[in-house]
């Protein structure tokens, strides 16, 4: 099954990062067209992630009740319609609405992708496959901003949403005809969809909560970087959209290499040790960001390089962290993988959106907003892992089928 399933899941997993990255170079232009502030245009990213997270607790149980494939078809169809809405909006509030709907759509496909991996593979295999999927996710930041910049230059920023719609139509055809149903036969499908007893066993599991918070921090670190970078580099430092796309793409290429190397690292070190290594890399990224801001700069381009270079360590750390942390969080929930995946996604996405939104309320510049999020989160998690009596939160456990 793996040879047939993985390419389909890879095509589906592209939908979420595509909706984040393809229009990044257009954000200053969009802010000008709608006459809104940088913070308001950044809200289109935060709202997407927030709705993607909240939608998971609504859609996750549906994936357990009705199966993975029907939810995938629903999510891709909604993605198509919300992208079309974004193409034709004339008011900023309707663009925000389109992004909320697009986030709900993306969360549906995300639940199916990660549940299907948990359905089909062991814990150790799952961590490796999650890393491969994350590698595909990381290809998009390398390519999408450049593609989005070219589309915007030729046809305007709305063409980026038209491209999203066209890609989703192709994925819909593939999923409709090729995606197998992976829901296990022992999946809990009876009872009310949203009763507390469905979520309580997941949230009562300290091992799940710790690694869900770890995933949340990783996503918040990336979201802070991505949401601040366009306005800081293009507007504040005066760098062109295409130069920004190139610098952003270099970081993404490093991320791709790290994602496809991650399975080998996980196999050698194990899940927990890989998470620790990733967190230290993120701490180093925060330290490097402080150092580069002290260095003298003679041009906007050099300042942009100073800003983006420390993010290479963040990209590597994120690539190494997300696979094993996701696998560790979901390892004990084979009989309710859809619900557990939904809770993980809700905490990861919604928590990251809220943390990023709080940072955006401060007067911190982009570099020091990154330092706060990266350093604060990684150090807190590492200190927690250093406390002996909390070992049951984060040590690897025996696999539950």
């Amino acid at each position: 099954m793996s040879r047939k399933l993985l390419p389909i899941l890879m095509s589906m997993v592209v939908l979420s990062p595509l909706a984040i990255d393809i229009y990044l170079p257009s954000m200053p232009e969009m802010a000008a067209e709608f006459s809104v502030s940088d913070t308001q245009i950044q809200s289109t990213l935060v709202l997407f992630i927030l709705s993607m997270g909240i939608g998971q607790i609504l859609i996750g149980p549906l994936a357990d009740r009705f199966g993975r494939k029907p939810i995938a078809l629903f999510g891709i169809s909604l993605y198509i319609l919300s992208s079309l809405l974004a193409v034709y909006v004339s008011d900023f509030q309707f663009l925000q609405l389109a992004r909320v709907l697009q986030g709900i759509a993306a969360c549906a496909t995300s639940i199916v992708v990660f549940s299907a991996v948990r359905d089909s593979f062991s814990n150790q295999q799952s961590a490796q496959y999650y890393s491969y999927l994350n590698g595909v996710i990381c290809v998009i930041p390398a390519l999408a901003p450049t593609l989005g910049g070219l589309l915007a230059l030729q046809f305007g920023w709305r063409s980026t949403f038209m491209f999203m719609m066209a890609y989703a139509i192709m994925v819909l055809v593939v999923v409709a005809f090729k995606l197998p149903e992976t829901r296990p036969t022992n999946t809990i499908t009876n009872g009310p969809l949203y009763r507390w007893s469905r979520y309580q066993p997941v949230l009562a599991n300290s091992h799940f909560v710790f690694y869900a918070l770890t995933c949340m921090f990783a996503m918040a670190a990336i979201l802070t970087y991505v949401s601040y970078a366009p306005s800081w580099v293009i507007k504040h430092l005066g760098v062109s959209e295409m130069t920004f796309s190139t610098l952003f793409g270099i970081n993404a290429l490093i991320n791709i290499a790290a994602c496809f190397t991650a399975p080998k690292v996980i196999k050698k070190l194990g899940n927990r040790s890989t998470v620790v290594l990733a967190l230290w890399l993120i701490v180093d990224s925060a330290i490097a960001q402080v150092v580069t801001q002290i260095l003298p700069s003679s041009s906007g381009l050099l300042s942009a390089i100073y800003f983006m270079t420390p993010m290479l360590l963040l990209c590597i750390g994120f690539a190494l962290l997300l696979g094993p942390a996701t696998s560790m969080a979901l390892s004990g929930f084979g009989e309710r993988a859809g619900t557990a995946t939904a809770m993980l996604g809700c905490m990861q996405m919604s928590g990251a959106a809220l943390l990023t939104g709080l940072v955006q309320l401060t007067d911190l510049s982009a570099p020091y907003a990154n330092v706060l999020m990266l350093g604060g989160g990684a150090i807190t998690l590492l200190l927690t892992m250093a406390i002996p009596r909390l070992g049951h939160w984060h040590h690897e456990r025996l696999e539950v089928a």
Side-chain angles (χ1 to χ4, degrees):
M1 176 183 290
S2 61
R3 290 184 179 179
K4 296 180 180 179
L5 181 61
L6 189 59
I8 301 171
L9 299 182
M10 285 179 170
S11 70
M12 293 170 61
V13 85
V14 166
L15 292 168
S16 297
L18 184 65
I20 294 172
D21 295 303
I22 194 169
Y23 79 108
L24 288 180
S26 300
M27 289 178 72
E29 177 191 348
M30 294 167 68
E33 179 174 327
F34 289 108
S35 300
V36 297
S37 67
D38 291 342
T39 299
Q40 286 175 297
I41 205 66
Q42 289 167 4
S43 75
T44 61
L45 283 174
V46 174
L47 285 172
F48 175 86
I49 298 295
L50 182 63
S51 60
M52 190 175 175
I54 293 175
Q56 307 238 359
I57 60 173
L58 301 176
I59 297 173
L62 295 175
D64 282 343
R65 174 68 60 87
F66 299 109
R68 315 308 190 209
K69 186 168 184 175
I71 298 305
L73 293 173
F74 160 77
I76 299 167
S77 299
L78 181 59
Y79 190 99
I80 293 168
L81 294 174
S82 57
S83 299
L84 184 62
L85 173 61
V87 171
Y88 289 104
V89 293
S90 56
D91 294 327
F92 182 67
Q93 291 77 9
F94 286 107
L95 177 62
Q96 291 177 310
L97 173 62
R99 294 293 286 168
V100 168
L101 294 175
Q102 204 171 32
I104 294 171
C107 93
T109 59
S110 176
I111 284 173
V112 171
V113 167
F114 288 95
S115 294
V117 172
R118 182 61 183 88
D119 294 340
S120 306
F121 306 104
S122 68
N123 283 351
Q124 194 69 21
Q125 288 176 318
S126 293
Q128 296 178 41
Y129 279 104
Y130 290 141
S131 294
Y132 286 132
L133 289 170
N134 288 330
V136 175
I137 290 173
C138 294
V139 169
I140 304 307
L143 302 178
T146 301
L147 173 61
L150 292 171
L151 286 172
L153 285 173
Q154 294 296 320
F155 307 107
W157 65 265
R158 296 173 193 272
S159 63
T160 61
F161 288 91
M162 184 66 75
F163 181 88
M164 293 183 218
M165 183 184 71
Y167 177 77
I169 291 172
M170 291 189 292
V171 175
L172 182 66
V173 173
V174 172
V175 169
F177 291 99
K178 297 295 184 180
L179 180 68
E181 180 56 65
T182 64
R183 184 182 65 178
T185 55
N186 67 336
T187 300
I188 299 173
T189 60
N190 58 346
L193 281 173
Y194 303 112
R195 62 184 177 182
W196 170 246
S197 60
R198 181 180 291 273
Y199 299 103
Q200 192 274 335
V202 179
L203 293 175
N205 187 310
S206 57
H207 195 256
F208 169 85
V209 171
F210 178 82
Y211 281 105
L213 292 175
T214 302
C215 291
M216 179 190 77
F217 151 71
M219 184 59 64
I222 288 292
L223 183 57
T224 299
Y225 160 51
V226 169
S227 63
Y228 273 91
S231 295
W232 180 258
V233 174
I234 297 172
K235 291 183 66 175
H236 181 76
L237 299 180
V239 172
S240 71
E241 289 87 344
M242 294 309 297
T243 301
F244 165 77
S245 297
T246 300
L247 293 173
F248 195 86
I250 291 171
N251 280 6
L253 287 172
I254 298 298
N255 202 348
I256 293 168
C259 281
F260 284 100
T261 304
K264 297 179 181 179
V265 178
I266 294 166
K267 187 175 181 179
K268 182 175 182 179
L269 298 182
N271 286 336
R272 182 184 179 278
S273 296
T274 304
V275 169
V276 173
L277 171 63
L279 290 173
W280 277 114
L281 286 171
I282 294 172
V283 171
D284 292 341
S285 177
I287 294 171
Q289 185 71 270
V290 173
V291 172
T292 57
Q293 293 309 301
I294 299 172
L295 297 175
S297 174
S298 58
S299 68
L301 177 59
L302 185 58
S303 295
I305 293 172
Y306 285 165
F307 173 73
M308 302 289 273
T309 300
M311 295 301 100
L312 294 174
L313 293 172
L314 168 62
C315 292
I316 296 170
F318 181 79
L320 291 176
L321 184 147
L322 209 56
T326 299
S327 182
M328 296 275 273
L330 299 179
S331 62
F333 300 102
E335 81 288 354
R336 55 177 83 235
T339 300
T341 303
M343 292 306 303
L344 173 62
C346 180
M347 294 176 67
Q348 177 181 336
M349 300 294 181
S350 300
L354 290 173
L355 287 174
T356 303
L358 288 173
V359 171
Q360 289 175 351
L361 292 177
T362 70
D363 294 327
L364 291 172
S365 63
Y368 291 103
N370 283 333
V371 170
L372 175 63
M373 186 65 73
L374 274 60
I379 290 171
T380 299
L381 290 168
L382 286 168
L383 288 175
T384 301
M385 297 178 85
I387 300 175
R389 70 172 185 272
L390 301 181
H392 62 287
W393 287 14
H394 51 82
H395 283 292
E396 297 194 50
R397 295 179 174 183
L398 294 176
E399 180 169 339
V400 178

